[in-house]
Each structure stands twice: as structure tokens, then as C-alpha cells.
Amino acid sequence: MFSVAVLVAALHRTERRLWSRLLHVEMFALLLFVTLPFTMPGPTLATLGPLHVSSTGLWRASLVALKVSACVLVLLVLLNGLEPERLGATLRALHVPEKLTRLFVMTARYVALIREEARRLSEAMRARGFTPRSNRHTWRSYGNLLGMILVRALDRAERVQEAMLCRGFAGHYPDVPLPLPRSRDWALFALLLGAAVLAVTTDRL
Amino acid sequence: MAHIADGLLSVPVLLCGAGMAAAGVGLGLRRLDDRLIPRAGILAAAVFVGSLVSIPVGPSSVHVLMSGAMGLMLGIATFPAVLVILSLQALLFGFGGLTTLGVNTVNIALPGVVFAMLLGPAIRRAGHATTRAALAGLVGALSVAGTGGLVALSLALSSSDYAPVASVIIATYVPLMIGEAFVTATIVSFLARVHPDALRPVTS
């Protein structure tokens, strides 16, 4: 399962980002490797002073690490490059409550904008000679930065709300037309489903 | 590490988390007035951006969760907002996971909502700026501690193998608690000065 996932990820346009994301997840696996071999009872593989490295523990840690990595790779490859707006429209078509999808689309729409604003604010801080250190001044400065981001977000929300009312917003967006699934989409879907079922059955047998 | 990845938790824990998250999100959406959706959505976007800022604490650096501040500003609507933020983080950065979306939502939103509900009225009434900042810091620290406890609990309940890892994770939450306390105190003081209206939750 893991090797298949790695293969798919390698065939997919691999970006460097993908591997750095995987690294983030492996931190947890590393923790397991540090603790499990010593805490799980089982046949002793090696001895480090008073500690015994058990092969069961090592096996368990490897299994969990492979499982988690496979999950991350599959999710990243499947979702890579999907636009939030498209996902919002799809969720709406799948009858997810409209309020939730509207919240999702609204948030996705403004993340890039607010990120740009935050970048400008922190650049201004740096221009005034701010260097982050581990002290109260730094934490207060970051608190003010985040507070400023929130205040600007609230002002923006008010303007957006008024603009929506001006355009006659009456409780729901017009539906975004989604392209109908073509035969190629169905074939790919069947292929994926088949691969998943195959992976699960070979695991169980 | 507030985001638990796919493939770690047991099915009962996942189902329990998903059920609790569904209840919280449903209640939050019911209480959220249609006209306040832009406000909740754009605030969620701001928190998403805020959580990307890395803040040095001691030798390490942390990313604030801002769940206490969210609880104060959004009330029970924190649940849907956190769900949206986590979905976007999974979609854009690959953090967390799909099956753990429910558990992670509860782990982050629940402490923020509970402590903001308990201490929020006192914060809004506080006459002294120092009292308000101290109470807000307490909300921030307690929310993060609650999240750390819930993450450790989710892991420990899934498999007894994770128990030692869970205690390590609790230890990593100490610097986050310190950073979160100071940052939340400043955010709330700032909002009380500049935009006092912001501290009234959008849900009744």
C-alpha cells in the first residue's frame, strides 16, 4: 500500500512542497520510533544499557509510520491542485448544508487577501526595526499584529456584507455550474475505487 | 501538534469525534445568523492567516491556535469556523487529515468555546485593562491546555501504545501555552481599545 502510494506520488508532478509536508508528518512517526521499541514487551533485539529494544515495538512503529505516510501521500495526490471554490461548489452539489459551504467559500476567498495584508503589516514591523526574540515585547508585538489583522478583517466583513446587500443577496448564492462527469472521469473513479478495494482485500487476506 | 494525521486513531475514537463535531457544527450553524456569515467567514480567514505566524518561545517557536480568541469573538460558531479552517489547511498544506477532521475540530474548538463561555462575561465587564488582559491570557492558556489534553486523550484512547507519546505531546504544549497566553491577552486588549464590538460573539 505504501509503496504504491509513493509510486503514484512520484509519477504525479512531484513538487518539493509535497516532500516537506510529508516531513512534517514524519515527526510524529519519529516520536513513535523513539518510544515504542522500549515500552512494548517482546523479544529483545538489542540492549542499550538498562533499556531493551523489542522487535515487536519496532515492527509496530514501522507499521504505523508506513500507514500514516501512505494516508498523507494519497490525500495530497488526490487533492493537489483542487481549488477551494470548486470544492465548495462540489460540496454544495453533494447536499452539504448551504450555510457551511458558504462559510467555506467565504473563508477560502479571503485567505489570500488577508495573507497579503498580514505580509505587508509584518514587513512594516521589520522596517521599523522589529526582530522577533523570546520575550514579552515580541509576544505583545505579535498580539498587536494579530489584533490588527482581526480588526481589518472585521471592517472588511462589514464592507462585504453591505456590498452583498446592495447587490440583492437574499440568502443564497446562485449555483456555480459544475461540469458533468465525463466517461473519462467515471473510468478514473472506477480505477481508484478498484485499487482501494484491492489494497484492502490483499491486506485482509 | 494539534493536527492528528490519518491512520493513527482507532475507529471508535474517530466516530466519537465526528459525532461530537457534527453536533457542535450543527448547533453553531443554527445559532449563526445568515447576515453574520461574512463576518464569521472573514474572521476564520484571519485566524487561518494568524496561525501561520511563527512566534519564538524559548529555544523553540510556536504557531498560535487562537482558539480562545475565536471563542470570545465567535461563540459556538467557533465549531464551524474551526472545521472550515482545518479543511482549508488539509487542502492547501496537507496538515491533519480527512478522517480525523471531526476529532481535530473538537480538540481545537471545544476548549476555546467552553473557556470563552465561562470567562467571556467577566472579560467584557472588566473595568480595568489589566484584569481584562489577565483573564484573556487565562482563556488563551486554558484553551491550549485543553487542546493538548484532548489530543493526548484521543491518542491514548486509540491504543495503549501511544501513551508515552501522549505524555511527550503534553510537554510540547507548555511553550505554546505561554505564547498563547501573552498573545491572546494582547489581542483582547487591542480589540477592547480599537473595536470593542468585536468581543461580542456573533452567536446569541
Side-chain angles (χ1 to χ4, degrees), chain A residues 2 20 28 92 97 151 157 162 167 187:
Chain A
F2 175 69
S20 69
F28 186 87
R92 182 75 207 103
V151 166
E162 274 161 17
R167 287 169 180 75

Side-chain angles (χ1 to χ4, degrees), chain A residues 64-86:
Chain A
V64 172
L66 288 181
K67 223 165 80 176
V68 170
S69 313
C71 287
V72 172
L73 284 174
V74 167
L75 201 63
L76 278 179
V77 169
L78 285 182
L79 290 183
N80 207 7
L82 176 64
E83 298 125 19
E85 291 74 18
R86 179 92 186 256

Side-chain angles (χ1 to χ4, degrees), chain B residues 86-164:
Chain B
L86 288 176
S87 321
L88 275 177
Q89 283 175 336
L91 187 64
L92 298 177
F93 305 124
F95 287 164
L98 194 63
T99 55
T100 51
L101 217 48
V103 176
N104 286 339
T105 302
V106 173
N107 287 353
I108 294 173
L110 186 65
V113 170
V114 167
F115 291 117
M117 232 180 228
L118 288 177
L119 294 171
I123 290 177
R124 278 165 217 123
R125 259 187 289 116
H128 237 282
T130 328
T131 334
R132 185 166 44 226
L135 284 172
L138 196 62
V139 170
L142 286 175
S143 306
V144 169
T147 299
L150 285 174
V151 168
L153 187 71
S154 327
L155 288 170
L157 283 179
S158 290
S159 161
S160 53
D161 304 345
Y162 297 147

Side-chain angles (χ1 to χ4, degrees), chain B residues 12-146:
Chain B
V13 172
L14 288 174
L15 288 179
C16 182
M20 283 168 73
V25 170
L27 195 64
L29 286 179
R30 184 120 47 85
R31 292 276 191 82
L32 184 64
D33 194 297
D34 240 11
R35 286 165 304 174
L36 289 170
I37 286 185
R39 183 163 162 170
I42 296 178
L43 274 182
V47 171
F48 177 95
V49 170
S51 67
L52 296 174
V53 178
S54 107
I55 297 175
V57 177
S60 63
S61 69
V62 298
H63 293 266
V64 284
L65 287 177
M66 292 171 80
S67 51
M70 270 171 101
L72 287 171
M73 299 177 80
L74 291 172
I76 190 119
T78 302
F79 274 101
V82 167
L83 177 65
V84 164
I85 291 172
L86 288 176
S87 321
L88 275 177
Q89 283 175 336
L91 187 64
L92 298 177
F93 305 124
F95 287 164
L98 194 63
T99 55
T100 51
L101 217 48
V103 176
N104 286 339
T105 302
V106 173
N107 287 353
I108 294 173
L110 186 65
V113 170
V114 167
F115 291 117
M117 232 180 228
L118 288 177
L119 294 171
I123 290 177
R124 278 165 217 123
R125 259 187 289 116
H128 237 282
T130 328
T131 334
R132 185 166 44 226
L135 284 172
L138 196 62
V139 170
L142 286 175
S143 306
V144 169

Side-chain angles (χ1 to χ4, degrees), chain A residues 6-54:
Chain A
V6 170
L7 196 69
V8 171
L11 288 176
H12 205 265
R13 303 153 286 148
T14 32
E15 301 161 52
R16 189 158 309 149
R17 279 191 316 174
L18 192 149
W19 300 113
S20 69
R21 286 174 200 176
L22 194 59
L23 206 67
H24 182 86
V25 178
E26 299 304 343
M27 290 303 288
F28 186 87
L30 199 69
L31 263 179
L32 280 180
F33 271 111
V34 173
T35 55
L36 273 187
F38 300 106
T39 53
M40 272 186 87
T44 308
L45 210 65
T47 318
L48 281 175
L51 299 170
H52 299 282
V53 181
S54 80

